[in-house]
Amino acid sequence: MAHTPRSKGRTGRPYRRAVERVKRRSQVCWLCNEAIDMSLKWPDPMSFSADHVESVKSLPPNDPKLTDPKNLMPAHLSCNSRRGDGSREAPRQLRWSRQWLV
């Protein structure tokens, strides 16, 4: 499948697999620290989306980071959209559910 300029590596099996790994890793938005309702589907603003930590805009086409699960974090669609192209600052500290128990 040819990638369109808009998709920039965000299609195909490697990307889908990376997104599935992110879904299994956490269901808490890394931008607002609120739970993501996995039953909601796109385009619901509170549905799951995978946010690139390192901006897609800053990466060249076919860069491995585009499909690297380490470069993807769970986010609400609205939080991800509000962050935009990654030029806005990401959270200073990532909070996982294990940290909440402390």
Side-chain angles (χ1 to χ4, degrees):
M1 169 187 265
H3 296 292
T4 64
R6 180 165 166 70
S7 72
K8 200 171 180 183
R10 291 173 283 174
T11 60
R13 186 176 299 156
Y15 180 73
R16 287 192 307 269
R17 285 183 178 166
V19 169
E20 288 304 316
R21 286 182 65 185
V22 172
K23 282 182 181 179
R24 287 192 303 270
R25 184 172 67 207
S26 176
Q27 295 177 359
V28 176
C29 177
W30 82 297
L31 298 169
C32 72
N33 290 322
E34 297 292 328
I36 301 170
D37 183 348
M38 301 306 271
S39 68
L40 299 175
K41 302 296 179 200
W42 184 91
D44 188 295
M46 298 307 283
S47 65
F48 173 88
S49 72
D51 184 27
H52 285 83
V53 176
E54 190 170 340
S55 169
V56 171
K57 193 174 184 179
S58 70
L59 298 171
N62 302 322
D63 188 298
K65 288 183 183 177
L66 290 169
T67 57
D68 184 355
K70 294 175 189 167
N71 190 40
L72 296 171
M73 296 296 287
H76 292 110
L77 182 60
S78 61
C79 295
N80 192 351
S81 298
R82 193 172 25 254
R83 183 166 176 246
D85 64 4
S87 59
R88 294 187 196 117
E89 193 172 309
R92 287 191 170 86
Q93 178 186 9
L94 303 178
R95 294 186 57 185
W96 299 100
S97 58
R98 282 182 229 110
Q99 291 175 309
W100 295 345
L101 298 175
V102 179

XYZ file of all heavy atoms in Angstrom:
827
model
N 0.839 -1.163 0.000
C 0.000 0.000 0.000
C 0.895 1.241 0.000
O 1.774 1.392 0.827
C -0.880 -0.011 1.255
C -1.607 1.293 1.466
S -2.458 1.331 3.042
C -4.061 0.816 2.505
N 0.669 2.124 -0.912
C 1.434 3.359 -0.986
C 0.937 4.323 0.084
O -0.252 4.423 0.351
C 1.297 3.985 -2.359
N 1.885 5.004 0.684
C 1.524 5.980 1.707
C 1.311 7.337 1.069
O 2.103 7.798 0.273
C 2.633 6.092 2.760
C 2.847 4.829 3.515
N 1.918 4.317 4.383
C 3.874 3.955 3.515
C 2.372 3.202 4.899
N 3.553 2.953 4.385
N 0.220 7.951 1.429
C -0.022 9.308 0.952
C 0.784 10.262 1.818
O 1.182 9.904 2.930
C -1.522 9.662 1.054
O -1.883 9.641 2.437
C -2.381 8.690 0.266
N 1.056 11.469 1.363
C 1.801 12.402 2.190
C 1.139 12.640 3.545
O 1.800 12.817 4.555
C 1.813 13.685 1.357
C 1.637 13.238 -0.042
C 0.777 12.008 0.037
N -0.187 12.602 3.593
C -0.890 12.843 4.853
C -0.677 11.706 5.844
O -0.552 11.939 7.048
C -2.377 13.044 4.583
C -3.170 13.307 5.833
C -4.549 13.870 5.491
N -5.452 13.833 6.588
C -5.373 14.588 7.669
N -4.404 15.442 7.809
N -6.265 14.500 8.630
N -0.628 10.483 5.384
C -0.517 9.358 6.307
C 0.883 9.261 6.905
O 1.035 8.899 8.057
C -0.866 8.054 5.599
O 0.143 7.695 4.698
N 1.899 9.554 6.153
C 3.285 9.582 6.607
C 3.598 8.423 7.553
O 4.071 8.619 8.680
C 3.598 10.913 7.263
C 5.072 11.225 7.318
C 5.317 12.636 7.767
C 6.797 12.905 7.806
N 7.125 14.229 8.294
N 3.315 7.200 7.101
C 3.655 6.028 7.896
C 2.619 5.625 8.920
O 2.842 4.707 9.683
N 1.479 6.302 8.959
C 0.464 5.984 9.958
C -0.613 5.073 9.397
O -1.760 5.136 9.799
C -0.149 7.270 10.510
C 0.852 8.048 11.342
C 0.312 9.359 11.739
N 0.387 10.239 10.564
C -0.115 11.450 10.505
N -0.756 11.936 11.518
N 0.015 12.179 9.431
N -0.235 4.235 8.472
C -1.133 3.222 7.922
C -0.343 1.927 7.831
O 0.866 1.912 8.007
C -1.639 3.613 6.520
O -0.518 3.764 5.653
C -2.436 4.902 6.550
N -1.024 0.857 7.545
C -0.354 -0.418 7.353
C -0.228 -1.231 8.623
O -0.504 -0.767 9.735
N 0.192 -2.460 8.431
C 0.280 -3.416 9.528
C 1.251 -2.993 10.640
O 0.905 -3.107 11.819
C 0.681 -4.784 8.993
C 0.647 -5.861 10.067
C 0.950 -7.218 9.538
N -0.033 -7.579 8.540
C 0.171 -8.466 7.584
N 1.336 -9.081 7.485
N -0.772 -8.757 6.723
N 2.468 -2.498 10.350
C 3.362 -2.116 11.448
C 2.762 -1.046 12.364
O 2.884 -1.137 13.586
C 4.613 -1.593 10.733
C 4.587 -2.249 9.396
C 3.125 -2.383 9.053
N 2.095 -0.075 11.772
C 1.483 0.982 12.584
C 0.326 0.420 13.411
O 0.208 0.713 14.610
C 1.005 2.142 11.709
C 0.380 3.248 12.515
C 1.158 4.086 13.298
C -0.999 3.445 12.514
C 0.588 5.094 14.062
C -1.572 4.455 13.273
C -0.776 5.274 14.044
O -1.346 6.259 14.802
N -0.526 -0.390 12.791
C -1.660 -0.972 13.533
C -1.175 -1.831 14.699
O -1.746 -1.802 15.790
C -2.537 -1.785 12.595
C -3.375 -0.932 11.651
C -4.446 -1.732 10.945
N -3.952 -2.901 10.257
C -3.551 -2.940 8.986
N -3.582 -1.854 8.248
N -3.131 -4.063 8.440
N -0.106 -2.603 14.492
C 0.445 -3.429 15.568
C 0.987 -2.561 16.702
O 0.811 -2.861 17.877
C 1.550 -4.332 15.039
C 1.017 -5.498 14.248
C 2.135 -6.398 13.811
N 1.604 -7.535 13.086
C 2.331 -8.357 12.356
N 3.633 -8.157 12.231
N 1.774 -9.360 11.735
N 1.674 -1.490 16.341
C 2.217 -0.574 17.354
C 1.087 0.042 18.168
O 1.182 0.143 19.397
C 3.068 0.503 16.684
N 0.012 0.448 17.513
C -1.136 1.045 18.207
C -1.759 0.021 19.149
O -2.124 0.354 20.286
C -2.162 1.604 17.202
C -3.465 1.967 17.890
C -1.590 2.804 16.469
N -1.878 -1.215 18.723
C -2.440 -2.258 19.593
C -1.571 -2.467 20.830
O -2.083 -2.676 21.929
C -2.616 -3.573 18.824
C -3.752 -3.536 17.830
C -5.088 -3.162 18.470
O -5.423 -3.681 19.560
O -5.802 -2.324 17.897
N -0.255 -2.394 20.686
C 0.641 -2.521 21.835
C 0.427 -1.359 22.805
O 0.434 -1.541 24.017
C 2.093 -2.577 21.382
C 2.443 -3.919 20.741
C 3.875 -4.003 20.342
N 4.750 -3.960 21.510
C 6.059 -3.917 21.439
N 6.671 -3.886 20.257
N 6.794 -3.884 22.530
N 0.230 -0.171 22.268
C -0.006 1.006 23.110
C -1.321 0.834 23.867
O -1.402 1.143 25.059
C -0.011 2.300 22.263
C -0.454 3.497 23.088
C 1.354 2.541 21.661
N -2.343 0.324 23.205
C -3.645 0.094 23.864
C -3.511 -0.888 25.016
O -4.126 -0.719 26.063
C -4.664 -0.455 22.866
C -5.248 0.583 21.952
C -6.273 -0.069 21.035
C -6.871 0.927 20.079
N -7.839 0.288 19.166
N -2.700 -1.924 24.836
C -2.515 -2.927 25.889
C -1.669 -2.374 27.037
O -1.830 -2.772 28.182
C -1.865 -4.187 25.330
C -2.788 -5.021 24.481
C -2.204 -6.395 24.186
N -0.914 -6.348 23.533
C -0.715 -6.320 22.215
N -1.746 -6.324 21.390
N 0.496 -6.308 21.706
N -0.763 -1.445 26.724
C 0.158 -0.901 27.718
C -0.560 -0.014 28.739
O -0.295 -0.078 29.925
C 1.259 -0.120 27.000
C 2.338 0.412 27.894
C 3.487 0.990 27.118
N 3.071 2.194 26.402
C 3.640 2.622 25.289
N 4.619 1.977 24.743
N 3.201 3.721 24.704
N -1.466 0.820 28.266
C -2.151 1.729 29.178
C -3.430 2.250 28.535
O -3.501 2.403 27.323
C -1.255 2.914 29.522
O -1.942 3.834 30.339
N -4.404 2.548 29.370
C -5.651 3.144 28.909
C -5.895 4.459 29.643
O -7.017 4.834 29.923
C -6.811 2.163 29.104
C -6.647 0.935 28.250
C -7.736 -0.082 28.469
O -8.637 0.089 29.271
N -7.660 -1.165 27.738
N -4.783 5.144 29.929
C -4.815 6.449 30.578
C -4.160 7.447 29.636
O -3.061 7.212 29.141
C -4.065 6.416 31.930
C -4.009 7.799 32.556
C -4.729 5.421 32.869
N -4.838 8.552 29.390
C -4.322 9.583 28.491
C -3.052 10.182 29.091
O -3.064 10.654 30.222
C -5.377 10.665 28.279
S -4.821 12.037 27.254
N -1.988 10.176 28.343
C -0.725 10.705 28.859
C -0.711 12.229 28.894
O 0.156 12.812 29.524
C 0.446 10.159 28.063
C 0.767 10.848 26.777
C -0.013 10.955 25.671
C 1.978 11.524 26.466
N 0.639 11.632 24.689
C 1.874 11.999 25.143
C 3.151 11.774 27.155
C 2.884 12.712 24.508
C 4.158 12.473 26.516
C 4.016 12.931 25.210
N -1.689 12.860 28.271
C -1.726 14.319 28.238
C -2.556 14.913 29.369
O -2.220 15.965 29.904
C -2.247 14.796 26.880
C -1.364 14.380 25.701
C -2.065 14.656 24.384
C -0.031 15.080 25.764
N -3.646 14.235 29.746
C -4.505 14.777 30.809
C -4.591 13.860 32.025
O -5.203 14.217 33.024
C -5.906 15.063 30.261
S -6.875 13.586 29.909
N -4.005 12.666 31.941
C -4.002 11.678 33.032
C -5.389 11.179 33.407
O -5.603 10.739 34.528
C -3.300 12.228 34.275
C -1.818 12.356 34.058
O -1.211 11.509 33.419
N -1.241 13.423 34.567
N -6.342 11.250 32.478
C -7.687 10.721 32.712
C -7.840 9.396 31.966
O -7.196 9.174 30.944
C -8.747 11.711 32.219
C -8.738 13.036 32.954
C -9.184 12.912 34.393
O -10.033 12.054 34.694
O -8.669 13.686 35.218
N -8.725 8.530 32.453
C -8.974 7.245 31.814
C -9.587 7.440 30.427
O -10.349 8.380 30.206
C -9.902 6.395 32.674
N -9.237 6.536 29.514
C -9.796 6.544 28.161
C -10.841 5.444 28.091
O -10.556 4.290 28.409
C -8.703 6.293 27.097
C -7.622 7.367 27.185
C -9.312 6.243 25.700
C -6.396 7.075 26.343
N -12.043 5.776 27.692
C -13.123 4.802 27.535
C -12.902 4.082 26.211
O -13.146 4.638 25.139
C -14.481 5.503 27.550
C -15.643 4.540 27.474
O -15.432 3.334 27.176
O -16.775 4.992 27.694
N -12.423 2.846 26.286
C -12.071 2.095 25.085
C -13.297 1.660 24.278
O -13.157 1.209 23.156
C -11.217 0.882 25.450
C -9.924 1.262 26.162
S -8.931 2.465 25.265
C -7.959 1.372 24.276
N -14.490 1.816 24.827
C -15.693 1.457 24.073
C -16.087 2.564 23.088
O -16.878 2.328 22.177
C -16.854 1.153 25.016
O -17.272 2.338 25.670
N -15.562 3.764 23.291
C -15.869 4.872 22.381
C -15.074 4.722 21.094
O -13.907 4.341 21.121
C -15.543 6.220 23.037
C -16.308 6.538 24.313
C -15.804 7.840 24.917
C -17.798 6.622 24.025
N -15.698 5.022 19.996
C -15.056 4.886 18.684
C -14.799 6.252 18.063
O -15.487 7.224 18.356
C -15.935 4.047 17.734
C -16.251 2.662 18.247
C -14.998 1.841 18.376
C -15.338 0.450 18.910
N -14.206 -0.214 19.481
N -13.798 6.308 17.195
C -13.502 7.506 16.439
C -14.747 7.884 15.645
O -15.420 7.002 15.148
C -12.329 7.227 15.496
C -11.876 8.423 14.739
C -10.927 9.321 15.102
C -12.363 8.865 13.462
N -10.793 10.286 14.153
C -11.672 10.040 13.122
C -13.339 8.409 12.580
C -11.910 10.746 11.960
C -13.569 9.105 11.417
C -12.854 10.267 11.118
N -15.150 9.122 15.585
C -14.476 10.373 15.932
C -14.907 10.978 17.265
O -14.803 12.187 17.442
C -14.862 11.276 14.782
C -16.269 10.887 14.462
C -16.324 9.386 14.714
N -15.367 10.164 18.205
C -15.735 10.707 19.514
C -14.503 11.387 20.126
O -13.421 10.803 20.146
C -16.213 9.570 20.428
C -16.794 10.082 21.717
O -16.026 10.674 22.509
O -17.994 9.905 21.943
N -14.635 12.607 20.629
C -13.480 13.333 21.169
C -12.782 12.624 22.333
O -11.598 12.838 22.563
C -14.055 14.668 21.638
C -15.434 14.754 21.125
C -15.858 13.400 20.692
N -13.510 11.764 23.041
C -12.907 11.071 24.181
C -12.456 9.652 23.829
O -12.082 8.882 24.710
C -13.893 11.038 25.351
C -14.272 12.432 25.848
S -12.837 13.470 26.249
C -12.380 12.778 27.812
N -12.467 9.311 22.546
C -12.028 7.986 22.113
C -10.502 7.896 22.138
O -9.798 8.903 22.228
C -12.551 7.685 20.712
O -11.975 8.559 19.763
N -9.994 6.688 22.032
C -8.553 6.425 22.045
C -7.890 6.924 20.763
O -8.432 6.789 19.674
C -8.302 4.913 22.176
C -6.858 4.541 22.028
C -6.024 4.537 23.128
C -6.327 4.211 20.791
C -4.687 4.202 22.996
C -5.003 3.883 20.647
C -4.170 3.876 21.756
N -6.711 7.477 20.917
C -5.840 7.748 19.772
C -4.403 7.541 20.241
O -4.110 7.626 21.428
C -6.031 9.172 19.231
O -5.487 10.120 20.107
N -3.529 7.252 19.305
C -2.112 7.080 19.612
C -1.391 8.374 19.251
O -1.422 8.800 18.102
C -1.547 5.905 18.827
N -0.785 8.988 20.244
C -0.084 10.256 20.049
C 1.408 9.987 19.882
O 1.996 9.229 20.648
C -0.317 11.164 21.262
C 0.301 12.530 21.099
O 0.457 12.997 19.951
O 0.627 13.150 22.124
N 2.007 10.587 18.873
C 3.446 10.475 18.672
C 4.153 11.432 19.627
O 3.897 12.626 19.609
C 3.820 10.819 17.228
C 3.479 9.755 16.250
N 2.223 9.624 15.709
C 4.234 8.765 15.730
C 2.223 8.589 14.881
N 3.431 8.050 14.882
N 5.044 10.903 20.442
C 5.806 11.725 21.374
C 6.704 12.660 20.577
O 6.712 13.859 20.785
C 6.643 10.846 22.330
C 7.502 11.702 23.234
C 5.733 9.935 23.135
N 7.466 12.089 19.657
C 8.265 12.897 18.744
C 7.379 13.205 17.546
O 6.871 12.311 16.884
C 9.526 12.151 18.309
C 10.494 13.018 17.565
C 11.836 12.356 17.345
O 12.167 11.399 18.062
O 12.543 12.787 16.427
N 7.207 14.445 17.266
C 6.274 14.919 16.262
C 6.434 14.225 14.902
O 7.547 14.067 14.406
C 6.470 16.426 16.078
O 5.770 16.890 14.961
N 5.311 13.850 14.323
C 5.301 13.260 12.985
C 5.887 14.256 11.987
O 6.622 13.886 11.079
C 3.862 12.864 12.570
C 3.793 12.465 11.115
C 3.344 11.756 13.451
N 5.580 15.523 12.216
C 6.053 16.572 11.321
C 7.579 16.669 11.305
O 8.176 17.005 10.288
C 5.457 17.912 11.767
C 5.586 19.031 10.792
C 4.833 20.243 11.316
C 4.850 21.370 10.341
N 4.090 22.524 10.844
N 8.220 16.343 12.435
C 9.671 16.462 12.527
C 10.404 15.243 11.973
O 11.616 15.290 11.805
C 10.092 16.681 13.983
O 9.874 15.509 14.735
N 9.676 14.159 11.711
C 10.307 12.929 11.236
C 10.213 12.811 9.720
O 9.206 13.165 9.131
C 9.629 11.713 11.878
C 9.722 11.627 13.393
C 8.833 10.508 13.907
C 11.157 11.410 13.822
N 11.263 12.278 9.107
C 11.196 12.065 7.661
C 10.249 10.905 7.334
O 9.999 10.050 8.191
C 12.635 11.708 7.280
C 13.260 11.214 8.531
C 12.549 11.894 9.670
N 9.710 10.864 6.110
C 8.846 9.738 5.725
C 9.596 8.419 5.902
O 10.802 8.352 5.713
C 8.540 9.998 4.254
C 8.813 11.444 4.060
C 9.886 11.828 5.040
N 8.878 7.399 6.307
C 9.408 6.044 6.499
C 10.405 5.945 7.654
O 11.137 4.970 7.741
C 10.036 5.502 5.211
C 9.036 5.475 4.079
O 7.869 5.173 4.287
N 9.492 5.824 2.890
N 10.455 6.921 8.532
C 11.317 6.830 9.709
C 10.761 5.744 10.613
O 9.553 5.681 10.849
C 11.332 8.172 10.450
C 12.357 8.199 11.560
O 12.227 7.391 12.512
O 13.280 9.017 11.484
N 11.613 4.870 11.153
C 11.118 3.802 12.030
C 10.371 4.306 13.259
O 9.534 3.602 13.816
C 12.387 3.061 12.448
C 13.423 3.439 11.455
C 13.054 4.781 10.911
N 10.643 5.535 13.704
C 9.955 6.071 14.879
C 8.469 6.278 14.633
O 7.694 6.374 15.572
C 10.587 7.395 15.303
C 11.940 7.234 15.937
C 12.464 8.560 16.402
C 13.856 8.415 16.970
N 14.400 9.725 17.349
N 8.058 6.362 13.372
C 6.642 6.546 13.065
C 5.812 5.356 13.526
O 4.646 5.502 13.870
C 6.440 6.779 11.566
C 6.950 8.119 11.038
C 6.938 8.117 9.520
C 6.113 9.255 11.576
N 6.412 4.175 13.511
C 5.688 2.962 13.910
C 6.295 2.311 15.148
O 5.965 1.178 15.463
C 5.658 1.948 12.751
O 6.992 1.652 12.361
C 4.888 2.496 11.571
N 7.154 3.010 15.865
C 7.784 2.479 17.064
C 6.858 2.683 18.261
O 6.520 3.816 18.587
C 9.113 3.195 17.302
C 9.880 2.635 18.489
O 9.353 1.753 19.204
O 11.020 3.086 18.701
N 6.442 1.611 18.937
C 5.554 1.754 20.085
C 6.145 2.636 21.190
O 5.412 3.228 21.965
C 5.346 0.325 20.588
C 5.711 -0.539 19.452
C 6.711 0.206 18.628
N 7.465 2.747 21.241
C 8.102 3.605 22.250
C 7.873 5.082 21.949
O 8.022 5.918 22.832
C 9.595 3.320 22.320
C 9.917 1.932 22.823
C 11.398 1.670 22.751
C 11.674 0.209 23.042
N 13.033 -0.157 22.684
N 7.526 5.412 20.717
C 7.263 6.790 20.320
C 5.762 7.099 20.322
O 5.362 8.182 19.953
C 7.867 7.083 18.940
C 7.822 8.554 18.590
O 8.053 9.407 19.435
N 7.500 8.847 17.352
N 4.946 6.141 20.712
C 3.499 6.315 20.745
C 2.990 6.239 22.181
O 3.440 5.411 22.957
C 2.804 5.228 19.914
C 3.087 5.227 18.426
C 2.503 3.973 17.787
C 2.508 6.463 17.779
N 2.064 7.123 22.498
C 1.468 7.141 23.824
C -0.048 7.216 23.678
O -0.553 7.821 22.728
C 1.953 8.351 24.622
C 3.450 8.337 24.905
S 3.963 6.971 25.948
C 3.319 7.482 27.520
N -0.795 6.622 24.636
C -2.254 6.694 24.570
C -2.748 8.098 24.894
O -2.202 8.771 25.776
C -2.700 5.698 25.639
C -1.561 5.619 26.588
C -0.318 5.870 25.785
N -3.752 8.543 24.154
C -4.327 9.869 24.380
C -5.781 9.888 23.930
O -6.176 9.108 23.065
C -3.543 10.927 23.618
N -6.554 10.769 24.546
C -7.891 11.026 24.019
C -7.719 11.701 22.658
O -6.748 12.448 22.458
C -8.660 11.996 24.931
C -8.999 11.427 26.257
N -8.397 11.861 27.418
C -9.893 10.470 26.616
C -8.905 11.190 28.432
N -9.807 10.346 27.985
N -8.627 11.476 21.766
C -8.561 12.110 20.457
C -8.526 13.631 20.604
O -7.745 14.311 19.932
C -9.752 11.672 19.594
C -9.800 12.211 18.178
C -8.563 11.797 17.390
C -11.059 11.717 17.476
N -9.332 14.181 21.516
C -9.356 15.633 21.693
C -8.042 16.160 22.272
O -7.562 17.216 21.856
C -10.528 16.046 22.586
O -10.405 15.466 23.859
N -7.443 15.435 23.206
C -6.157 15.861 23.780
C -5.069 15.819 22.716
O -4.242 16.728 22.619
C -5.773 14.976 24.954
S -6.875 15.078 26.371
N -5.081 14.762 21.925
C -4.105 14.610 20.846
C -4.274 15.734 19.829
O -3.292 16.353 19.410
C -4.283 13.239 20.190
C -3.145 12.858 19.270
O -2.278 13.665 18.965
N -3.169 11.623 18.840
N -5.499 16.036 19.464
C -5.763 17.106 18.497
C -5.351 18.465 19.055
O -4.778 19.287 18.351
C -7.244 17.148 18.134
O -7.630 15.950 17.527
N -5.616 18.681 20.320
C -5.273 19.951 20.957
C -3.753 20.143 20.997
O -3.250 21.235 20.826
C -5.854 19.985 22.370
C -5.833 21.326 23.010
C -6.597 21.389 24.340
N -6.759 20.150 25.081
C -7.903 19.465 25.175
N -8.984 19.868 24.570
N -7.966 18.365 25.887
N -3.029 19.055 21.210
C -1.565 19.127 21.221
C -1.039 19.460 19.836
O -0.005 20.083 19.675
C -0.967 17.815 21.717
C 0.538 17.857 21.818
C 1.074 16.687 22.617
N 2.517 16.731 22.601
C 3.280 15.835 22.028
N 2.750 14.770 21.449
N 4.584 15.949 22.040
N -1.764 19.031 18.831
C -1.398 19.381 17.456
C -0.194 18.620 16.952
O -0.059 17.426 17.174
N 0.705 19.343 16.287
C 1.839 18.709 15.621
C 2.995 18.393 16.561
O 4.085 18.050 16.119
C 2.326 19.571 14.459
C 2.877 20.907 14.915
O 2.959 21.134 16.125
O 3.228 21.724 14.047
N 2.790 18.514 17.844
C 3.844 18.191 18.795
C 4.696 19.389 19.169
O 5.609 19.273 19.971
N 4.398 20.542 18.581
C 5.183 21.717 18.915
C 4.848 22.213 20.321
O 5.650 22.869 20.958
C 4.943 22.831 17.895
O 3.577 23.173 17.853
N 3.658 21.853 20.787
C 3.302 22.203 22.166
C 3.989 21.226 23.106
O 4.227 20.080 22.771
C 1.795 22.137 22.356
C 1.103 23.186 21.534
C -0.382 23.239 21.845
N -1.018 23.980 20.788
C -1.916 23.476 19.971
N -2.329 22.253 20.102
N -2.433 24.206 19.016
N 4.260 21.688 24.277
C 5.002 20.896 25.238
C 4.207 19.678 25.693
O 3.013 19.753 25.966
C 5.322 21.773 26.448
C 6.339 21.182 27.361
C 6.758 22.168 28.417
O 7.109 23.295 28.053
O 6.712 21.792 29.601
N 4.891 18.566 25.796
C 4.302 17.336 26.312
C 4.361 17.375 27.835
O 5.068 18.192 28.412
C 5.083 16.136 25.784
N 3.623 16.495 28.502
C 3.661 16.476 29.963
C 5.080 16.258 30.475
O 5.869 15.558 29.857
C 2.780 15.284 30.326
C 1.951 15.025 29.140
C 2.749 15.487 27.962
N 5.393 16.862 31.605
C 6.741 16.739 32.163
C 6.977 15.349 32.732
O 8.057 14.825 32.668
C 6.950 17.779 33.244
C 7.102 19.149 32.673
C 7.564 20.122 33.742
N 7.942 21.376 33.146
C 7.130 22.367 32.878
N 5.848 22.240 33.150
N 7.564 23.479 32.334
N 5.974 14.769 33.339
C 6.125 13.467 33.953
C 4.974 12.576 33.509
O 3.817 12.959 33.593
C 6.111 13.579 35.475
C 6.210 12.237 36.162
C 6.059 12.358 37.665
O 5.723 13.411 38.183
N 6.284 11.281 38.356
N 5.321 11.390 33.058
C 4.299 10.424 32.688
C 3.834 9.722 33.953
O 4.645 9.318 34.776
C 4.856 9.395 31.701
C 5.436 9.973 30.427
C 5.982 8.847 29.568
C 4.377 10.734 29.670
N 2.531 9.594 34.120
C 1.987 8.926 35.293
C 1.269 7.667 34.853
O 0.359 7.715 34.055
C 1.038 9.851 36.032
C 1.761 11.040 36.619
C 0.855 11.850 37.446
N 0.286 11.002 38.493
C -0.632 11.413 39.338
N -1.093 12.623 39.284
N -1.106 10.603 40.252
N 1.716 6.546 35.369
C 1.083 5.268 35.077
C 0.294 4.845 36.310
O 0.530 5.326 37.417
C 2.127 4.219 34.738
C 2.911 4.623 33.536
C 4.144 5.194 33.519
C 2.496 4.546 32.182
N 4.533 5.453 32.240
C 3.543 5.066 31.391
C 1.350 4.104 31.552
C 3.465 5.135 30.012
C 1.285 4.161 30.168
C 2.331 4.667 29.422
N -0.609 3.927 36.138
C -1.485 3.515 37.230
C -0.674 3.003 38.421
O -1.071 3.164 39.559
C -2.476 2.461 36.753
O -1.804 1.346 36.224
N 0.480 2.386 38.182
C 1.296 1.897 39.281
C 1.740 3.065 40.169
O 1.868 2.925 41.367
C 2.530 1.155 38.754
C 2.196 -0.237 38.290
C 3.466 -0.942 37.832
N 3.164 -1.506 36.528
C 3.661 -1.091 35.393
N 4.547 -0.143 35.345
N 3.318 -1.658 34.264
N 2.007 4.206 39.582
C 2.440 5.368 40.352
C 1.293 5.924 41.204
O 1.546 6.540 42.237
C 2.955 6.466 39.425
C 4.257 6.095 38.746
C 4.670 7.156 37.743
O 3.867 7.527 36.905
N 5.887 7.615 37.840
N 0.074 5.729 40.797
C -1.064 6.258 41.538
C -1.256 5.510 42.851
O -1.857 6.019 43.778
C -2.335 6.159 40.716
C -2.322 6.998 39.498
C -1.467 8.013 39.199
C -3.200 6.913 38.395
N -1.755 8.553 37.980
C -2.825 7.896 37.456
C -4.279 6.105 38.100
C -3.486 8.090 36.258
C -4.934 6.296 36.895
C -4.536 7.280 35.997
N -0.785 4.273 42.890
C -0.976 3.456 44.082
C -0.008 3.829 45.183
O -0.180 3.447 46.323
C -0.821 1.975 43.727
C -1.830 1.435 42.712
C -1.498 0.006 42.344
C -3.245 1.520 43.251
N 1.032 4.551 44.862
C 2.062 4.906 45.854
C 1.587 6.027 46.738
O 0.889 6.892 46.419
C 3.372 5.314 45.134
C 4.422 5.706 46.138
C 3.833 4.184 44.259
